[in-house]
Amino acid sequence: MAKINSMADLQKKAEELKAAAVKTKSEKVLVNVSLATCSIASGGKEVLEAMKAEVAAQGLSNVEFQQVGCQTYCYAEPTVEITLPGKEPVVFGYVKGDKAKELVQKYIKSGELVDGVIPAAYERVVL
Amino acid sequence: MATQLRIATRNSGFIDPESVESYIAVGGYQALGKCLSEMKPADVIELMKNSGLRGRGGAGFPTGVKWGFAAKYDSDIKHVVCNADEGDPGAFMDRAVLEGDPHSVLEAMAIGAYAIGGNKGTIYIRAEYPLAIARLKMAIEQAKEMGVLGDNIMGTDFCFDLELKYGAGAFVCGEETALINSMEGNRGEPYTKPPFPAEAGYWNKPTIVNNVETLANIPAIIMKGADWFNKIGTETSKGTKVFCICGKIANVGLIEVPMGTTLKEVIYDIGGGIPGGKEFKAVQTGGPSGGALTYKDLDAPIDYENLVARQSMMGSGGMIVMDEEDCMVSVAKFFLDFTMDETCGKCTPCRIGSKRIYELLDKITIGQGTEADLEKLRSLSVNIKDTALCGLGQTMPNPVLSTMRVFEDEYRAHVIDKKCPAGVCAELLEYTVVDQKCVGCTLCAKVCPVNCISGKPKEVHVIDQAACIKCGACLDKCKFDAIIKQ
């Protein structure tokens, strides 16, 4: 990791990282799996593994996984947020059993929505 | 439809908490950089004062003012402490922030240290939050490697180092003086203020203690300005508040709403209402230190003053929703059981008072209470409030007083009619067979663990009330709704 020695350094680094994130977003499917204590307890890690395995089984190469913290929907854990290139992110809840596979086969592969979508009802402050 | 506004939880669920790059990509450490390169410590304090941010741990003390106090004192060492000792039943927002966005807390602590002329930081966190601890450790290491924490931050003269201290899981250690005692290796007992920690805190050095959620707001306030923050919320309470809604609610979870959002919006719009077609009965805010609010309070805008005016409090943000099947005497007993366990024992009103209140409540729930007990309960509660040493003891009777005030009928039903209207207190229940519905299938008699149900096949059965242990097995088993509980 390169050390940050000034505010200018930090801004430069932030811009690089932002640009990289924008690029990833336009080319890849981003899958954020909630892995806070409660999400892990309700099976989040298994969901992540199952989705990774299914992505590999389907031979998809444009999917990027990221662990994130609490997505705030305790009632619907495990939860997963999927952002298809150029589209708004969609949060899927109740990802139990075969749901992880189904998400890959239907939503990630062909954009076909499946049950369990949690509508976003918040405004988020972006710095 | 009420909308949530996410400031303190802006990054949780969106970035990888184990990657400092992920945080920097969303503007992380820019606020610290801005303070170091463009602002004097006094400017930072002024900005915090103008923003109107108040402590999110519950007491609601203005953050900028607290920082201002600590800045006034001269000292070679000054401490910034993050209070991550979250222990309210039903509250988990600090954990969510620490696990989902640890760097924002580190950044805010560094900003606080810069503002007060401090150099040392400590995060006091419960040992029972292992994932939060692991992610914080990782974050501290990454931030140091990156040069945004440690010596000569971002090439300036400012140095700030951080360490973790683990709490053993005592509720009272969330109180700042008890927390400081615990950090020093002593028993987690509070002491009287003054001196306030801002003057003489951790190892007698000027210390500011800020809650996790308070801290998480700070980088956003620095970046967006005091006016921006000021416009969110109500006259006396600025910004947003994170709540954990749990209990009898459809959408159990974490929410962040602007101050001034009503309880109705929180419970029905965001929380999705009460599941199973049941009736809303009450909501306990402020955990064991708070009080029960009812349908009369649903339209009340949530802010510090409004909740206090309704004899509850903001607390750290737990919200426990109760429906018609919850007995308020039992709820009060549950909270007293908690505080009775958690009292540190230093002062008599809290140590012995909690035990006596619990005993009275227990007596009422088993049907041995009298009207005189209700009076005793009330006067004892008021006395403890007036005489206990710290916040824990002073607020401990709140669940009793508030439920007695708004659900007096329910208390009276317990002591006078010896009935529990909600059907919770087992000793006060009676299971009886409805003659017209009983077909004499004998199932109830077969499941009864004490064999107190008698009757021949195809004839109406009878429950021997004296022998019945009120386990409810017969009610669960009966297919004909022929057994009722009342």
Side-chain angles (χ1 to χ4, degrees):
Chain A
M1 241 181 277
K3 214 164 174 122
I4 288 168
N5 285 315
S6 65
M7 181 64 178
D9 263 13
L10 176 69
Q11 270 162 348
K12 194 168 150 252
K13 178 103 187 161
E15 271 155 34
E16 279 168 23
L17 288 164
K18 257 180 218 168
V22 169
K23 188 165 180 288
T24 317
K25 249 189 177 167
S26 65
E27 292 168 355
K28 292 189 168 179
V29 178
L30 270 184
V31 181
N32 284 348
V33 182
S34 174
L35 288 181
T37 295
C38 34
S39 346
I40 293 171
S42 56
K45 276 189 175 161
E46 288 76 7
V47 169
L48 177 63
E49 291 314 312
M51 285 184 78
K52 276 185 177 169
E54 188 58 23
V55 162
Q58 298 280 335
L60 301 172
S61 58
N62 66 331
V63 184
E64 197 160 295
F65 289 94
Q66 181 178 248
Q67 65 161 343
V68 296
C70 168
Q71 288 178 331
T72 75
Y73 312 105
C74 310
Y75 62 97
E77 292 284 2
T79 55
V80 169
E81 185 193 76
I82 303 176
T83 315
L84 299 180
K87 292 227 170 129
E88 285 298 302
V90 178
V91 177
F92 295 90
Y94 316 96
V95 190
K96 299 248 181 203
D98 289 334
K99 198 62 176 265
K101 268 188 183 177
E102 199 187 350
L103 280 176
V104 177
Q105 289 162 359
K106 292 190 174 158
Y107 191 64
I108 292 181
K109 234 181 144 180
S110 56
E112 185 189 332
L113 275 178
V114 300
D115 285 351
V117 174
I118 302 173
Y122 56 78
E123 201 182 308
R124 206 180 129 224
V125 169
V126 179
L127 301 189
Chain B
M1 185 80 186
T3 358
Q4 300 188 52
L5 177 62
R6 298 178 59 175
I7 302 175
T9 60
R10 64 192 176 279
N11 293 327
S12 179
F14 299 96
I15 64 166
D16 180 352
E18 297 184 5
S19 151
V20 65
E21 276 101 350
S22 201
Y23 182 62
I24 289 176
V26 293
Y29 290 105
Q30 302 257 349
L32 176 60
K34 187 178 171 188
C35 290
L36 295 180
S37 61
E38 296 169 23
M39 299 169 84
K40 289 195 184 72
D43 301 335
V44 180
I45 291 176
E46 201 52 34
L47 192 153
M48 291 311 299
K49 280 185 186 164
N50 292 338
S51 75
L53 176 69
R54 296 170 65 177
R56 298 293 192 249
F61 193 81
T63 306
V65 176
K66 190 188 267 185
W67 288 12
F69 288 149
K72 272 195 304 198
Y73 297 100
D74 274 329
S75 177
D76 52 338
I77 295 172
K78 289 188 192 178
H79 295 279
V80 175
V81 176
C82 167
N83 183 348
D85 186 77
E86 183 172 51
D88 277 36
F92 43 87
M93 53 260 134
D94 290 350
R95 192 188 70 201
V97 169
L98 292 168
E99 288 177 354
D101 190 18
H103 283 285
S104 69
V105 176
L106 308 187
E107 183 180 2
M109 289 178 74
I111 292 170
Y114 175 71
I116 66 163
N119 34 23
K120 288 215 170 354
T122 311
I123 301 174
Y124 184 87
I125 184 168
R126 297 202 147 207
E128 62 221 55
Y129 278 1
L131 185 65
I133 291 171
R135 286 185 176 161
L136 276 170
K137 276 186 178 166
M138 222 179 276
I140 292 171
E141 219 160 277
Q142 291 169 348
K144 277 189 190 168
E145 233 175 274
M146 200 109 223
V148 289
L149 207 64
D151 291 337
N152 302 102
I153 295 175
M154 292 188 221
T156 66
D157 294 338
F158 178 59
C159 304
F160 177 65
D161 205 359
L162 258 171
E163 62 170 353
L164 297 183
K165 282 218 181 270
Y166 308 121
F171 184 59
V172 73
C173 289
E175 199 278 339
E176 61 179 0
T177 61
L179 185 150
I180 288 167
N181 259 335
S182 171
M183 278 174 38
E184 292 174 353
N186 303 318
R187 287 184 66 130
E189 288 177 340
Y191 55 83
T192 45
K193 298 187 268 195
F196 286 90
E199 183 186 352
Y202 188 36
W203 299 125
N204 276 323
K205 300 287 182 185
T207 303
I208 50 170
V209 183
N210 287 129
N211 169 265
V212 172
E213 188 191 333
T214 317
L215 291 166
N217 275 293
I218 289 168
I221 295 173
I222 302 282
M223 292 310 285
K224 301 216 153 233
D227 289 344
W228 162 78
F229 193 74
N230 229 307
K231 290 199 183 87
I232 305 161
T234 66
E235 194 53 40
T236 56
S237 309
K238 303 298 182 189
T240 57
K241 179 77 193 86
V242 184
F243 290 104
C244 291
I245 37 177
C246 58
K248 308 286 178 62
I249 184 106
N251 301 345
V252 169
L254 195 80
I255 64 162
E256 182 170 355
V257 288
M259 297 274 190
T261 304
T262 66
L263 276 172
K264 193 190 250 163
E265 288 169 325
V266 166
I267 294 168
Y268 290 94
D269 293 353
I270 302 173
I274 318 297
K278 300 268 164 46
E279 207 54 49
F280 165 79
K281 185 167 185 177
V283 55
Q284 174 90 10
T285 65
S289 310
L293 299 165
T294 64
Y295 69 94
K296 287 182 192 153
D297 308 299
L298 281 177
D299 288 317
I302 305 169
D303 68 10
Y304 293 98
E305 277 68 28
N306 242 315
L307 290 184
V308 171
R310 286 163 191 273
Q311 294 180 347
S312 181
M313 62 181 265
M314 181 79 82
S316 59
M319 248 190 210
I320 304 174
V321 183
M322 287 161 274
D323 70 9
E324 55 193 298
E325 289 183 345
D326 287 305
C327 161
M328 299 315 285
V329 186
S330 298
V331 166
K333 190 171 114 178
F334 168 82
F335 283 115
L336 258 296
D337 191 19
F338 178 82
T339 29
M340 185 173 69
D341 276 351
E342 294 290 347
T343 173
C344 75
K346 184 173 182 179
C347 75
T348 319
C350 186
R351 181 182 68 245
I352 298 178
S354 60
K355 175 84 178 152
R356 294 292 169 262
I357 293 191
Y358 179 84
E359 284 168 355
L360 281 168
L361 290 170
D362 191 50
K363 198 174 159 193
I364 295 169
T365 54
I366 60 172
Q368 292 171 5
T370 62
E371 276 181 271
D373 286 333
L374 293 185
E375 213 22 70
K376 219 185 273 174
L377 197 53
R378 202 188 311 268
S379 65
L380 184 58
S381 297
V382 171
N383 273 321
I384 294 170
K385 265 181 93 77
D386 289 345
T387 52
L389 172 62
C390 83
L392 190 150
Q394 287 155 9
T395 57
M396 168 252 286
N398 283 354
V400 180
L401 288 170
S402 85
T403 51
M404 281 185 88
R405 183 172 51 86
V406 277
F407 294 101
E408 200 191 341
D409 290 355
E410 210 162 314
Y411 275 85
R412 298 187 78 81
H414 280 75
V415 296
I416 298 168
D417 313 329
K418 308 290 177 200
K419 288 276 174 219
C420 174
V424 173
C425 300
E427 279 82 354
L428 303 181
L429 295 179
E430 208 168 76
Y431 289 87
T432 43
V433 176
V434 185
D435 294 0
Q436 295 84 353
K437 286 188 177 172
C438 180
V439 297
C441 72
T442 75
L443 262 184
C444 57
K446 280 183 192 143
V447 296
C448 177
V450 290
N451 296 322
C452 73
I453 306 180
S454 54
K456 290 189 182 120
K458 294 188 183 161
E459 279 174 25
V460 172
H461 282 52
V462 181
I463 301 174
D464 176 3
Q465 293 303 332
C468 175
I469 57 162
K470 337 269 185 193
C471 68
C474 52
L475 177 77
D476 293 342
K477 204 75 191 173
C478 182
K479 292 175 185 157
F480 305 95
D481 296 330
I483 294 174
I484 49 168
K485 170 175 90 165
Q486 55 190 0

